[in-house]
Amino acid sequence: MTNQDLLAVAKEFGSPVYVYDAEKIAFQYNRLKNAFSEVKDLRIHYAVKALSNISILKFLNSMGCGLDTVSVQEVMLGLKAGVDPKDIIYTPNGVSLEEIEEVVELGAQINIDNLSILEQFGAKHPEVPVCIRINPHILAGGNAKISVGHVDSKFGISIHQMPLLLRIVENTGMNINGIHMHTGSDILDIEVFLRASEILFDSAKNFKNLEFLDFGSGFKVPYTEGDIETDIEELGEKLTHRFHDFCKDYGRELTLVFEPGKFLVSEAGKFLAKVNVIKQTTSTVFAGVDTGFNHLIRPMFYGSHHDIHNISNPEGKQRFYSVVGYICETDTFANNRRIAEITEGDILAFSNAGAYSFSMASNFNSRFRPAEVLWYKDKAHLIRERETFEDLLRHQVIIDLGPPASE
Ligand SMILES: *Cc1c(COP(=O)(O)O)cnc(C)c1O
């Protein structure tokens, strides 16, 4: 997508607007597949929560990609997209037994991450195969907000509780068909990931009927030029080797599963916003845009970096701006960032806006959530309309209590 393409999208669909490059998504999918091409049975399950638009799910599924879901609603979105329930893994945490049972009815593979529900489920449905999420107690990335595998994490069953886990499995007679881990986002060090994998292999040895090993995700993508990223190719080489060894010892070829979200869609997304106002104070030049953390919360929520380009004036002289939103809260997208000279009305493009961007948008300040556009073969396809006032009113029940009675 060139700047001209993006400007044309902003012109046609208005701002703010999310734009996703389908070819970039396909590129990332194939890159991961190629990195593990030596694995006989590799399954990639896209983590729906990163970007849950049905057209994106359909596009990924058309390439053979399955889905990883964390709620019954995401499972339903996947089914709506035409995905075979057998290609959907359900990896919730802290949900009710009833929700898990609903998902079983829908036909997806379930994954259980705590002993209490495992025991209740196994007692009631010993015939339903279950995958187990373990917590390997390994911290993948440096950012505690997005790491989910360390000791105090609420995710997964602690490997130290393996004896208890095995007793539950034996007592209920349930069938464990997969072992899963997801150590969280931003794997910077492949050795750390491999160490966690060893723990997964170790845990897997306890179960005789496994069909797959699910290594989760957390691949780091670059956020700016020259930024570090997970070396997928190196990981592919090393993990494939270990996986083959494990399967030989185990006595059977297993399926290797990944469930990337960010890796597949982060870089494919651009978020376009218009500059409403340039506000010069004594110390700072603010560029106020027609959006805020209601539409893109990652910078404020995770402290994440999004490159920002002025696509209306890309060759302009570089100046320093603080890019801020229009929400009645401090919502700073970037502090004193070098950006090509901005004039009111210019369109700014935020990079890495594919993952956890639209999917975390809200109606705070009663703003409409933006439109989404899928860019494919040099054409813009609208895949979500901008909301309207009707959407804000939907489900509101307007009652009239009259004024409170006076004493
Ligand atoms: C969120 C999530 C993922 C995807 O993580 P990314 O960092 O976006 O790749 C994968 N698996 C599970 C269980 C998740 O909760």
Side-chain angles (χ1 to χ4, degrees), residues 339-357:
I339 299 173
E341 181 159 16
I342 301 173
T343 308
E344 290 173 357
D346 283 355
I347 300 289
L348 303 186
F350 293 71
S351 299
N352 290 88
Y356 309 105
S357 296

Side-chain angles (χ1 to χ4, degrees), residues 31 140-143 185-190 218-232 234 262-263 266-267 305 352:
R31 194 178 149 205
N143 188 339
S185 265
D186 287 2
I187 296 162
L188 306 176
D189 186 346
I190 286 177
F219 306 135
K220 162 125 179 45
V221 297
Y223 288 112
T224 192
E225 225 174 284
D227 191 14
I228 37 173
E229 60 179 308
T230 309
D231 188 336
I232 289 292
E234 187 190 342
K262 201 182 276 178
F263 179 81
S266 174
E267 295 165 274
H305 174 98
N352 290 88

Side-chain angles (χ1 to χ4, degrees), residues 109-126:
Q109 166 74 48
I110 62 163
N111 191 340
I112 294 184
D113 93 325
N114 67 85
L115 293 174
S116 170
I117 296 284
L118 185 75
E119 186 161 29
Q120 295 173 58
F121 187 87
K124 260 179 104 174
H125 312 281

Side-chain angles (χ1 to χ4, degrees), residues 47 49-50 68 70 91 133 180 182 184-186 216-219 259-263 356:
K49 72 176 186 290
D68 177 69
V70 294
T91 308
R133 176 174 189 168
H180 166 276
H182 171 64
S185 265
D186 287 2
S217 170
F219 306 135
E259 26 180 70
K262 201 182 276 178
F263 179 81
Y356 309 105

